[in-house]
Amino acid sequence: MSEMKNERVGHPQWKKATLWASAVVLVLVLGMALLVIFTPKKDDNAPVAGSPVPSTEAASTPPAQDGCNVPVGDTSSTPKMPDDLRWEAKDGWTWPVSDTYGPTQREGEFGVCFARSPLGAALMAVTLNTASNTLDYKQALKLYLADSPGKNYALAQAEGENAQPISYSGFIVDSFTPDNAQVTLVFSTPDTSTRFTGLPLSFRWIDGDWKQVILDDGSMFRGQPIEPQRGEFVEWKSSP
C-alpha cells in the first residue's frame, strides 16, 4: 500500500494522512500507494528482509485459532498458495483473498479472521491497506491496528485523499511465531531497479486475529523499504 503530500508521504500509501511509506522523496520516486505517517525511526533490531528466517518447524505448533476457527495451514517461510486464492476488485484496486485463510468473515464491510500463519498475516496486510483506501480510513485503522500510542497518533493525523491503486506482488516472511509475525509486503513499481519495492511490517496475534503493530511515532513500518528481486519473495499465485 505510496503517500504523497499530506495525503501520502511515502510509498504505497493508504488513504488519508501518511502511514506506510517513509518520506516525500520516496513517494515521488516510487509513486505507489501505501499510507505513511512521517519518516520512520531507525530500528536496529528490525529483521532484514532476505535474512535467514527462524525455522518454524522447530517452533511449537500454533494452537488452534479461537473465535474465527480458521485453519492454520503452512507456517513455513515459503508457504504455498491455497487453491482458493482469488482476487477481489473495488475502485480500481485488486487484492488477493482466500475463503479458507482470510478474510473468512466480515465485520460490516471489513474483512476479518485470518489464519494464524505467515500467509494469514500477509493476507491481512493487503486487506488492511486496501480497506484503508476503498472504505472508511479511520475505521480501518481502528479495526486493524493494535492499540498503542502510535495508533492514537495515526488516528489523530488521519487526513488526505485516497491513494492511487498499487499492484500487490507478494511477500517475504522475515520471522514468525504463533504470536508475532514480521512480513515484508512487496509491490510492483516501474520506479526501482528491480521493479519491486517492499515494506517490512509487524503483526501481533490479539483476541483471535492479527493486528498490525506500528511505531509510537505513527510509522507503519520498521527500518527502510527494500528493492527485492523476483525469486526473493513469495509471489501470489496468479495475477488479477
Side-chain angles (χ1 to χ4, degrees):
M1 344 181 162
S2 159
E3 328 238 353
M4 320 342 161
K5 198 181 159 168
N6 188 16
E7 37 181 271
R8 307 236 184 304
V9 192
H11 298 302
Q13 22 177 252
W14 282 0
K15 189 169 168 178
K16 309 182 175 181
T18 39
L19 277 180
W20 269 25
S22 70
V24 180
V25 175
L26 291 176
V27 180
L28 296 175
V29 173
L30 298 179
M32 297 177 65
L34 220 133
L35 217 71
V36 198
I37 289 190
F38 301 117
T39 302
K41 298 175 181 177
K42 182 178 180 181
D43 183 355
D44 294 330
N45 295 319
V48 177
S51 60
V53 176
S55 173
T56 54
E57 295 179 356
S60 58
T61 301
Q65 179 166 329
D66 359 356
C68 300
N69 295 318
V70 180
V72 172
D74 188 349
T75 59
S76 73
S77 61
T78 55
K80 290 183 171 59
M81 292 298 103
D83 292 337
D84 66 355
L85 187 81
R86 58 187 173 78
W87 293 80
E88 290 194 346
K90 178 180 174 66
D91 298 338
W93 288 76
T94 55
W95 67 100
V97 299
S98 165
D99 292 334
T100 302
Y101 298 104
T104 63
Q105 295 184 26
R106 294 278 170 183
E107 187 166 316
E109 294 184 278
F110 297 91
V112 296
C113 292
F114 297 87
R116 197 171 188 175
S117 65
L119 174 62
L123 287 168
M124 184 275 194
V126 297
T127 299
L128 185 168
N129 189 58
T130 305
S132 69
N133 281 284
T134 61
L135 300 174
D136 184 279
Y137 174 71
K138 281 196 173 183
Q139 282 304 118
L141 298 191
K142 289 178 181 177
L143 177 63
Y144 293 120
L145 298 186
D147 291 339
S148 68
K151 176 180 179 178
N152 296 337
Y153 186 78
L155 289 170
Q157 299 295 316
E159 296 177 2
E161 302 297 328
N162 291 3
Q164 292 298 310
I166 59 172
S167 179
Y168 299 111
S169 300
F171 58 94
I172 298 169
V173 182
D174 299 308
S175 66
F176 175 78
T177 70
D179 296 319
N180 294 280
Q182 301 283 336
V183 175
T184 294
L185 205 54
V186 179
F187 311 85
S188 64
T189 172
D191 301 310
T192 65
S193 60
T194 64
R195 316 290 286 187
F196 298 102
T197 191
L199 299 179
L201 310 175
S202 299
F203 301 91
R204 184 173 301 147
W205 190 257
I206 300 174
D207 296 332
D209 211 352
W210 291 112
K211 301 290 183 183
Q212 185 172 345
V213 179
I214 66 175
L215 300 182
D216 287 349
D217 67 356
S219 300
M220 299 296 287
F221 64 95
R222 299 172 179 273
Q224 295 299 317
I226 64 170
E227 297 182 12
Q229 299 185 44
R230 177 164 271 124
E232 294 180 344
F233 58 88
V234 179
E235 297 188 51
W236 300 113
K237 181 176 65 173
S238 58
S239 299

